[in-house]
Amino acid sequence: MTGLLWERLRESLHTHRDRPAVTDPDGTASYGEILTRAVELSESLGLGIRPGQDRPRIALSAGNSAHYPVALLAALGSGAVPFLFDPQWGETEIASAIRSCGIDLLLHDRPLPAGSAGPARPLAGPLQVSEATGPRERPELLPTTELCRYTTGSTGYPSCVEFSGTAVTGAATSWLAGTGLRPDDRILCFAGLANGLAFNTSLVPGLLAGSVLHLAGGLPTAGHVLRYVRQTGPTRLTGFPALYASLLRRTAPAPELAGIRVAISSGAPLPPDDARALIDRYGLPVANYYGIAETGPLTFDREPAPERGLGAPLPGVEFRIPPGARAGEPAPISVRSSSMGSRYLNAPGLLEHRLDQDGFYLTGDEGHLESGLLHLSGRSGKHINVGGRKVDPHEVAEVLRTVPGVTDALVLEVTRSDGDKALGALVAAPAHVGTDAVRAHCQGLLAPYKVPERLAVVDRIPASSIGKPRLAAARALLEG
């Protein structure tokens, strides 16, 4: 049985069948070609699902290309539930997601870690399919679940968020209405399609609107970005702050940016000085997109400016500040949206625990609303409990970064062999920097209970495709 998301996407693909849908470095596929390829790929999977049968769980682990929406649509059209893996995940994250979510098949365009899946069978283009192997839990999916995406959250391993078809289409509809996305828009996307930034602003809304989605390959250096802009003539640009920082490192004019009506940044707020410089130098206002994996897209600003924060709530989004909070002062922010996830499949009760009686989700962010615009000031609930004492990991990390030779640091909670919790830290530094020297440096600057008990020196901190620390990989280095 197929669901609402497949039906809505199939209808749009048929309606716009003669229009270009997706371009990548290898060429262009029309809406009709995407639909045809998806149906063919669905048939080649040979799932043969019967009514009432437990739906297959298909993980999609692939980079940006026209094959990505084909694979996603093939899974949806076959009646299976797609699970969107970050293609930058390592062995730890992939093994954890397969094991804890009961994955059956993996659609992938690159080799998988040994032991995670059986032999690969080639499909269309670079796509391959493999059967998951090894012991797996099989938590029951909600009947309404049509798609699953992941967030690292606070669990240290990929937490799988279940979404109904209503929630996914609600996110896209909210984005279409709130941002004015049109069929004649051309979206140039530098974010990975499994990430919420691309999924919720470019992939699903673009396909439903009849827009053209241009998928860029390679690193978003200024020269690379501008070459794609010249080739595709986009009206919308989607990327992370590093893309815009790269543009600012360029001193030459960039008249090709003048055709971009909407530029979107996410992952972390764009520094105000960068935002002003982009306007002054290129006439390019950039909107800070605010969204959360569990709740979908939340804000947008049609007139972005540094003093306007993250913009206004999208249609179907409500923010709540605790009663009694002083106007303009930071307070915990809760939100309710039409695109909310249902729960964590592999962490029962955790998401529900963060909902109040009215269904508002506690974001973990602090900020305030001013003239209907959201302004963030930081994170709440960031402390680690070490023996009954609260430790601010950011404070410890800042001290670690002052050690000679250390370029970066990550502080997190780890588990001892006896099951108790302890403070751990990874520091990025050359091999000649030893843990004894790092610990001695900390002992001179921090209270004893703030000195990490577990400490490791590495070449670099494990990070995701958008630069966020991979907590599961970091814990594996400290607890292994």
Side-chain angles (χ1 to χ4, degrees):
M1 294 289 290
T2 55
L4 173 66
L5 181 56
W6 162 251
E7 297 300 332
R8 287 286 306 277
L9 288 170
R10 183 180 63 175
E11 179 183 358
S12 181
L13 291 165
H14 181 72
T15 299
H16 303 288
R17 57 188 176 275
D18 296 325
R19 293 172 50 81
V22 182
T23 75
D24 62 21
D26 293 326
T28 302
S30 70
Y31 277 83
E33 289 169 337
I34 293 287
L35 180 56
T36 298
R37 294 179 191 176
V39 172
E40 291 174 349
L41 179 57
S42 176
E43 291 173 351
S44 71
L45 293 175
L47 298 178
I49 304 168
R50 296 185 300 274
Q53 181 182 358
D54 187 19
R55 293 169 292 168
R57 305 175 187 195
I58 301 180
L60 175 53
S61 178
N64 281 14
S65 78
H67 296 283
Y68 195 98
V70 169
L72 174 62
L73 287 159
L76 292 169
S78 69
V81 177
F83 288 67
L84 308 190
F85 282 15
D86 184 338
Q88 298 299 317
W89 274 354
E91 182 176 355
T92 301
E93 289 97 338
I94 290 176
S96 172
I98 291 174
R99 181 182 63 253
S100 64
C101 298
I103 299 299
D104 298 306
L105 298 174
L106 294 99
L107 283 174
H108 53 101
D109 63 359
R110 60 204 65 198
L112 296 170
S116 62
R121 174 167 63 92
L123 297 169
L127 291 176
Q128 305 173 71
V129 61
S130 302
E131 291 189 15
T133 58
R136 281 158 285 160
E137 301 170 16
R138 190 78 174 182
E140 187 175 353
L141 288 164
L142 292 171
T144 56
T145 296
E146 294 186 21
L147 180 136
C148 292
R149 294 183 49 244
Y150 288 85
T151 177
T152 53
S154 58
T155 60
Y157 56 85
S159 297
C160 177
V161 188
E162 293 184 60
F163 288 95
S164 67
T166 301
V168 179
T169 56
T173 301
S174 173
W175 187 255
L176 289 169
T179 71
L181 183 64
R182 307 188 306 238
D184 61 348
D185 271 312
R186 300 176 299 279
I187 307 166
L188 177 56
C189 181
F190 281 87
L193 292 176
N195 182 269
L197 171 60
F199 186 82
N200 288 322
T201 74
S202 302
L203 178 59
V204 179
L207 291 176
L208 289 179
S211 307
V212 183
L213 175 59
H214 300 287
L215 298 174
L219 296 174
T221 61
H224 195 60
V225 171
L226 293 177
R227 280 194 298 274
Y228 268 100
V229 171
R230 286 192 294 270
Q231 291 168 7
T232 62
T235 58
R236 294 195 172 208
L237 177 63
T238 303
F240 295 103
L243 181 155
Y244 300 101
S246 177
L247 289 176
L248 288 174
R249 288 194 291 270
R250 177 187 173 92
T251 57
E256 51 267 70
L257 296 175
I260 296 175
R261 292 189 296 103
V262 177
I264 304 163
S265 177
S266 186
L270 193 67
D273 288 346
D274 285 3
R276 294 187 186 94
L278 287 162
I279 295 173
D280 294 341
R281 189 181 304 177
Y282 303 123
L284 183 69
V286 180
N288 276 310
Y289 162 87
Y290 179 56
I292 301 172
E294 293 86 349
T295 64
L298 300 175
T299 68
F300 182 74
D301 196 342
R302 293 196 182 213
E303 301 175 2
E307 64 273 12
R308 291 173 60 85
L310 299 178
L314 288 164
V317 174
E318 302 173 75
F319 288 109
R320 174 178 284 179
I321 305 294
R326 295 183 179 180
E329 292 190 1
I333 295 172
S334 297
V335 66
R336 183 171 62 187
S337 74
S338 58
S339 51
M340 297 272 287
S342 306
R343 64 176 185 181
Y344 295 124
L345 176 66
N346 57 353
L350 184 58
L351 191 150
E352 296 91 325
H353 179 70
R354 302 194 71 171
L355 297 175
D356 67 16
Q357 60 183 6
D358 297 319
F360 280 80
Y361 176 81
L362 182 62
T363 66
D365 291 317
E366 291 187 340
H368 68 279
L369 292 170
E370 183 177 326
S371 302
L373 303 174
L374 178 67
H375 297 258
L376 293 186
S377 54
R379 294 282 294 173
S380 59
K382 61 187 178 183
H383 294 89
I384 296 174
N385 190 322
V386 179
R389 297 175 182 264
K390 300 294 185 181
V391 177
D392 184 345
H394 300 293
E395 175 193 7
V396 179
E398 286 301 314
V399 171
L400 289 168
R401 293 187 184 106
T402 66
V403 177
V406 171
T407 57
D408 198 7
L410 174 67
V411 177
L412 67 168
E413 183 182 85
V414 295
T415 304
R416 301 192 188 106
S417 57
D418 61 3
D420 288 339
K421 303 300 181 181
L423 197 66
L426 289 181
V427 294
H432 66 79
V433 177
T435 55
D436 289 344
V438 174
R439 189 168 279 112
H441 182 90
C442 292
Q443 288 170 342
L445 298 172
L446 295 170
Y449 70 89
K450 292 184 179 181
V451 177
E453 180 177 319
R454 299 277 182 88
L455 189 63
V457 177
V458 295
D459 293 331
R460 60 184 178 85
I461 305 295
S464 70
S465 57
I466 64 170
K468 291 186 177 181
R470 290 168 46 205
L471 299 184
R475 281 196 174 86
L477 291 170
L478 291 167
E479 297 178 350

